[in-house]
Amino acid sequence: MIEVKALSKRYHDGTVALNNVSFRLDKKISAIIGRNGAGKTTLMRILSTQIMPTSGTARINGIDVIGEPNRIRKMAVSIPQEAKPIDYMPAMDCVKLYLAARGFGRKEATARAEKALRTVGLGNDMRKLAYELSGGMKRKVFVAMAIASDADIIFLDEPTTGLDPFSRVEVWSAIRAIKGQVILTTHYMEEAQALSDDVLMMEAGKIFAHNTVDRLLRPFDGLVRVESQRRNRRAYRVGSTWISYVKKGRAKSMVGKGDVIKPVTLDDLFIKRGVNLES
Amino acid sequence: MNLKFVSAHAWLTGGAALRSNWLYMITGMGFPLSLLFVVGVLSKGAFLPYALAGGLISIVATNGIFTMADLGMFKFEYMFKDLIVSTRTSPMDYMFGVMLADFFWSIPSIVLYFILDMIFHILTPYAFVMTLIVASLVLLSTASLGFVLTSLVKHQRFVWAITGMLSLVMMIFPPTFYPYTYLPHPILLILTISPTTPAAVLEQGFFGLAPTLWYMLYILIAETVILFLLARYATVWRER
């Protein structure tokens, strides 16, 4: 379980990345979503002992993240955003090296790495050099590290950014195979919806919503999203598109030529706040 | 110390990786061997023994500079440093792991130089043992320097700039390829700012090419201790 109280982070250049954030995460998979610069990565880096916060407290399973980093490092795995396997090494060796960093001996690291790589579907590719692997396979190498570590807490920072839809679904399957508590950041709403038991929504260093996907979407019950290029004073504007929410039954009768009807997603919580997630 | 990580890193990114990336090994030999060739031709063979003695130091220093470049790659390209900060690995484990991995890549060059030293009849058992000691100090000092600098820079392009400058300061100016006696003493003392200068001076003494200036050993040891302590205590690991 992760408990965060009044956590803030101000960088040397004055940027406030986190502003008095408090929450508790105790579900199997939690997603932290928000647009770029919302503070997701800073939060993950603080929780995984990579950087110090400016103020506030954070505890993982009762252990102080700020004061006892070495105890946290034994129980938590953190896979950074944009991490790449060392490209001149086989996938197998990349996982073994990570396990050695976590204190596993050669024999155990080899056995665990092999098993984890099979679990994520890289059984036939584990001897390939990392540069020979596709983008999805490379991300799966990191998920294999998390699985093989058998850690209590796993932080995955944007694990599928830049992957094609097929690879993303493959990585999702691999993430579901992780035994410990998973905290992942993403700006793909369907990823949060597909994987997570609860969702933390961030914007400008603050949390503005925290609940299960169903509860977060409850205000939109019975509604669909209508995207139109025509100006509409009662709609939300995102770029040159006007977005409104109408009852499912009335949608077809209300839409004009070129309008698009879509199901409501977590995106819409941001849209209603005037936040363009793609920006 | 997490010796499992140090040995795994040294072997997996060094020894094992060497087999599938042998071209880089030749690249590592390129600079010292090119200088050896140029110095040999220009001096009509007169400086060849000096270049052979100093070339070993040059290879080990190149290793240190490669360590810095690798640390930069691991930090900025692979995000490997971020990956292992949240493990049981300490900064010193990491530094030793990368340093020893790069040392694997240098072994063929070192062996080649020792063979050349034997061919030119300048290698003695005494020179061999002392060379190992001096080379170890140069390896540790240059790797420590690279480790501190890499932890402070914010982008890979600075790493390339710094390694370029370090190559000049560590391998061109110091008397690694020419007799140190050609340098005015004050200049020699100024050049001791690079650990390769005292190392090269000592090597020329151990190989019987010039008088041994023992105070250079103290300078080299002091530099190694200072740079190691800097790496130990000034490296940014958990960022603020």
Side-chain angles (χ1 to χ4, degrees):
Chain A
M1 183 174 67
I2 295 170
E3 287 176 286
V4 168
K5 283 183 188 162
L7 202 66
S8 294
K9 177 67 185 178
R10 178 191 287 267
Y11 285 107
H12 297 300
D13 64 359
T15 307
V16 178
L18 285 180
N19 189 355
N20 204 28
V21 164
S22 298
F23 60 87
R24 175 195 277 211
L25 297 176
D26 53 9
K27 301 281 196 298
K28 172 77 174 68
I29 302 181
S30 301
I32 303 172
I33 58 177
R35 67 173 173 174
N36 295 332
K40 309 183 296 290
T41 296
T42 298
L43 179 58
M44 295 285 256
R45 296 190 78 206
I46 290 172
L47 293 175
S48 58
T49 74
Q50 290 175 46
I51 56 170
M52 293 286 279
T54 308
S55 61
T57 61
R59 289 182 170 274
I60 297 178
N61 292 350
I63 299 166
D64 180 13
V65 170
I66 292 118
E68 298 181 273
N70 289 335
R71 287 184 71 191
I72 297 294
R73 288 166 184 166
K74 284 181 188 170
M75 68 161 75
V77 164
S78 175
I79 306 297
Q81 184 184 353
E82 294 173 8
K84 293 175 194 159
I86 297 171
D87 53 14
Y88 54 85
M89 281 166 59
M92 176 77 172
D93 286 357
C94 293
V95 181
K96 276 165 65 180
L97 180 58
Y98 180 70
L99 292 176
R102 297 199 66 80
F104 290 101
R106 189 172 60 87
K107 274 188 180 174
E108 190 171 3
T110 305
R112 280 172 175 263
E114 201 169 320
K115 190 177 171 193
L117 285 163
R118 287 190 199 289
T119 304
V120 299
L122 293 178
N124 295 326
D125 303 297
M126 62 174 78
R127 311 276 170 209
K128 278 188 183 169
L129 296 179
Y131 74 82
E132 296 174 302
L133 303 176
S134 68
M137 289 163 128
K138 284 177 184 167
R139 293 310 300 178
K140 283 202 251 176
V141 171
F142 287 101
V143 179
M145 289 176 190
I147 291 172
S149 301
D150 230 354
D152 296 332
I153 308 277
I154 292 98
F155 297 102
L156 301 172
D157 195 3
E158 301 197 7
T160 61
T161 296
L163 298 186
D164 62 77
F166 186 79
S167 299
R168 279 166 63 195
V169 173
E170 279 188 323
V171 174
W172 292 353
S173 305
I175 290 171
R176 287 192 188 99
I178 295 173
K179 281 182 189 161
Q181 183 183 351
V182 177
I183 292 90
L184 64 93
T185 69
T186 182
H187 51 239
Y188 297 127
M189 296 303 120
E190 71 274 28
E191 183 161 291
Q193 288 181 233
L195 283 175
S196 56
D197 302 306
D198 67 345
V199 175
L200 208 70
M201 305 185 86
M202 291 187 75
E203 184 197 332
K206 289 186 172 182
I207 291 166
F208 70 85
H210 178 199
N211 220 321
T212 61
V213 174
D214 286 346
R215 289 199 174 183
L216 287 168
L217 292 179
R218 195 160 288 171
F220 296 94
D221 270 355
L223 302 179
V224 289
R225 181 163 90 193
V226 178
E227 294 179 3
S228 173
Q229 300 304 310
R230 287 173 291 129
R231 188 182 175 86
N232 178 349
R233 281 175 61 194
R234 298 175 72 182
Y236 301 92
R237 186 180 172 182
V238 179
S240 60
T241 304
W242 298 86
I243 294 174
S244 55
Y245 300 94
V246 298
K247 286 189 176 170
K248 263 182 198 167
R250 293 176 58 199
K252 278 193 178 170
S253 61
M254 287 178 69
V255 297
K257 193 181 176 186
D259 292 354
V260 180
I261 301 171
K262 286 183 176 173
V264 171
T265 69
L266 289 171
D267 267 333
D268 297 284
L269 285 164
F270 284 95
I271 290 166
K272 279 194 120 177
R273 291 178 62 84
V275 178
N276 178 7
L277 217 63
E278 299 302 320
S279 67
Chain B
M1 186 169 235
N2 183 354
L3 287 175
K4 288 169 187 162
F5 173 77
V6 175
S7 56
H9 197 288
W11 175 246
L12 294 174
T13 68
L18 189 60
R19 284 177 296 184
S20 50
N21 300 274
W22 53 272
L23 265 176
Y24 280 98
M25 185 184 71
I26 296 172
T27 306
M29 287 182 185
F31 186 69
L33 285 178
S34 307
L35 270 180
L36 182 71
F37 178 76
V38 171
V39 167
V41 169
L42 289 179
S43 68
K44 294 182 180 165
F47 289 172
L48 204 56
Y50 297 93
L52 283 169
L56 274 164
I57 299 303
S58 176
I59 283 175
V60 175
T62 306
N63 184 94
I65 291 165
F66 273 14
T67 298
M68 182 175 180
D70 275 354
L71 286 165
M73 284 288 286
F74 287 151
K75 181 178 176 183
F76 300 113
E77 176 69 18
Y78 302 124
M79 304 287 170
F80 184 72
K81 187 221 151 196
D82 282 356
L83 186 72
I84 62 159
V85 165
S86 318
T87 67
R88 299 163 75 164
T89 303
S90 71
M92 288 295 98
D93 299 333
Y94 183 44
M95 185 184 90
F96 277 106
V98 178
M99 182 184 84
L100 293 176
D102 281 327
F103 185 65
F104 264 107
W105 296 75
S106 303
I107 287 174
S109 309
I110 291 170
V111 170
L112 178 68
Y113 258 85
F114 275 128
I115 291 170
L116 287 171
D117 288 344
M118 282 193 286
I119 290 170
F120 284 87
H121 304 292
I122 59 169
L123 188 67
T124 62
Y126 170 72
F128 178 74
V129 171
M130 296 312 282
T131 296
L132 291 184
I133 293 169
V134 168
S136 303
L137 291 170
V138 172
L139 183 67
L140 187 56
S141 58
T142 50
S144 300
L145 177 65
F147 194 58
V148 176
L149 292 175
T150 318
S151 83
L152 299 175
V153 299
K154 300 283 181 201
H155 195 279
Q156 179 68 20
R157 69 180 189 277
F158 298 122
V159 176
W160 299 129
I162 292 170
T163 52
M165 280 190 289
L166 283 180
S167 295
L168 266 182
V169 174
M170 288 187 164
M171 294 199 288
I172 300 296
F173 297 138
T176 42
F177 289 87
Y178 61 89
Y180 76 80
T181 49
Y182 279 35
L183 288 170
H185 198 65
I187 302 289
L188 183 65
L189 288 179
I190 290 168
L191 289 178
T192 56
I193 196 164
S194 161
T196 47
T197 299
V201 170
L202 286 165
E203 282 293 282
Q204 290 180 20
F206 299 149
F207 279 83
L209 303 168
T212 306
L213 302 182
W214 283 104
Y215 67 88
M216 287 288 175
L217 183 62
Y218 305 131
I219 292 175
L220 180 59
I221 291 171
E223 283 179 340
T224 307
V225 169
I226 290 167
L227 289 169
F228 180 73
L229 289 176
L230 264 177
R232 176 79 180 79
Y233 295 106
T235 296
V236 181
W237 194 242
R238 188 186 196 184
E239 293 167 30
R240 294 199 167 266

